[in-house]
Amino acid sequence: VSDPDLPPKITPAIEKATEWIKKSQLDGGAFPGLSADNPIYGNPQAKGGYDCQLGFTALELTALLKAKVPYMDPVIQKGLTWIRENSQRPCSTYEAAMICVLMETIEHSLDEKGRKAREKEERKRFATVKDVKKAPQGRTEVLPDGRVRVIQDMGPSGPFKTEKESLDYMAARIQEWQLASGAWRYGPNFSAGTDAPAELGDVSATQYCLMGLLSAKRLGCPVKPEGIEKSANWLVDAMEKSAEAR
């Protein structure tokens, strides 16, 4: 990391953070998630912690690439391999959005050597991975008023052949999961269907989804403008009307 425009203390801080992130990578290539008793987002009701390892891994890899860690760095490659093997069924809007953000970050990080390496890897996967088939997956969610709704997903049955195939899938899922209010929620309990009450929207989850859709759009994925406009209107309505509201 080297940028003459940064204040003197910033570059060492980025380098220190980069090394810490690298050392936290698990043997399989993923990065650890949050335990239920973590000091910031601790929640005794979240048994087993927050199962969004795909999203955490995409976020860590994005941070490393933003810090100028080369695409061909072993930590990056190990993490991307894990994501490719596990990204067929994101468990949350956050995960799908972070995959989109990661893919755009990769696109801007690739030099000629990295681009050729990625093309070689995709050719290899294209020749060995079977066609992705859609398989219905039923699950239920309990709404705040006690009603139970059955959700039918259409998820791929195996790894994606190409990064573009994965990107298209993630962008489509984010848009499918948008609530009628224009907002999003983090978890699958609120990610499908559009009849959940508007107040159940989550500002944090919504901003991740908008970031993901912006990345997907810049990479050529179809993104419906009316969904973005609806989300923007929801965010304006969710804002505190004055400083006194705090």
Side-chain angles (χ1 to χ4, degrees):
V1 179
S2 178
D3 189 333
D5 294 329
L6 291 176
K9 292 184 179 180
I10 298 298
T11 296
I14 294 175
E15 292 173 345
K16 186 177 180 180
T18 297
E19 288 306 308
W20 183 86
I21 292 174
K22 283 186 169 186
K23 290 178 181 178
S24 68
Q25 188 176 40
L26 303 175
D27 291 341
F31 287 85
L34 293 175
S35 63
D37 60 352
N38 76 86
I40 299 176
Y41 296 108
N43 178 4
Q45 303 302 319
K47 297 179 180 179
Y50 297 83
D51 186 20
C52 295
Q53 198 167 37
L54 183 62
F56 295 139
T57 300
L59 179 62
E60 303 285 22
L61 294 180
T62 297
L64 291 176
L65 290 167
K66 292 281 189 182
K68 306 272 194 304
V69 175
Y71 174 77
M72 294 306 297
D73 186 275
V75 171
I76 299 291
Q77 289 302 305
K78 191 175 180 180
L80 289 176
T81 297
W82 184 88
I83 284 180
R84 292 185 188 113
E85 293 172 350
N86 293 275
S87 64
Q88 58 266 35
R89 290 191 181 92
C91 77
S92 68
T93 52
Y94 162 67
E95 292 189 314
M98 276 311 307
I99 291 293
C100 294
V101 172
L102 172 61
M103 289 187 181
E104 185 188 21
T105 305
I106 289 173
E107 196 62 32
H108 292 310
S109 302
L110 288 175
D111 55 17
E112 189 61 27
K113 182 179 179 181
R115 202 169 296 278
K116 288 181 178 179
R118 184 177 67 170
E119 291 173 355
K120 181 179 179 180
E121 170 62 26
E122 287 199 343
R123 284 196 301 270
K124 180 180 177 182
R125 274 186 287 137
F126 195 85
T128 57
V129 175
K130 296 180 180 179
D131 288 336
V132 173
K133 297 179 180 179
K134 302 296 181 181
Q137 309 159 49
R139 68 173 188 269
T140 62
E141 69 168 315
V142 179
L143 297 176
D145 61 3
R147 289 180 298 127
V148 176
R149 182 170 64 213
V150 177
I151 304 168
Q152 277 295 112
D153 279 341
M154 295 300 287
S157 58
F160 297 99
K161 284 185 174 181
T162 65
E163 308 293 355
K164 183 62 168 61
E165 187 178 60
S166 174
L167 180 68
D168 286 342
Y169 177 77
M170 299 300 171
R173 294 313 298 258
I174 293 172
Q175 293 177 89
E176 289 172 10
W177 290 340
Q178 188 175 25
L179 297 171
S181 63
W184 281 271
R185 293 291 299 175
Y186 273 113
N189 284 347
F190 300 97
S191 62
T194 56
D195 59 343
E199 62 268 20
L200 291 180
D202 186 298
V203 173
S204 179
T206 298
Q207 58 102 14
Y208 269 113
C209 288
L210 288 173
M211 288 167 56
L213 289 179
L214 179 59
S215 290
K217 181 176 173 58
R218 286 194 287 236
L219 292 176
C221 290
V223 175
K224 297 177 181 178
E226 56 268 28
I228 303 299
E229 183 178 359
K230 185 183 288 188
S231 178
N233 290 335
W234 181 86
L235 285 170
V236 171
D237 290 341
M239 289 175 62
E240 296 174 349
K241 304 306 183 233
S242 71
E244 294 178 358
R246 290 186 157 303

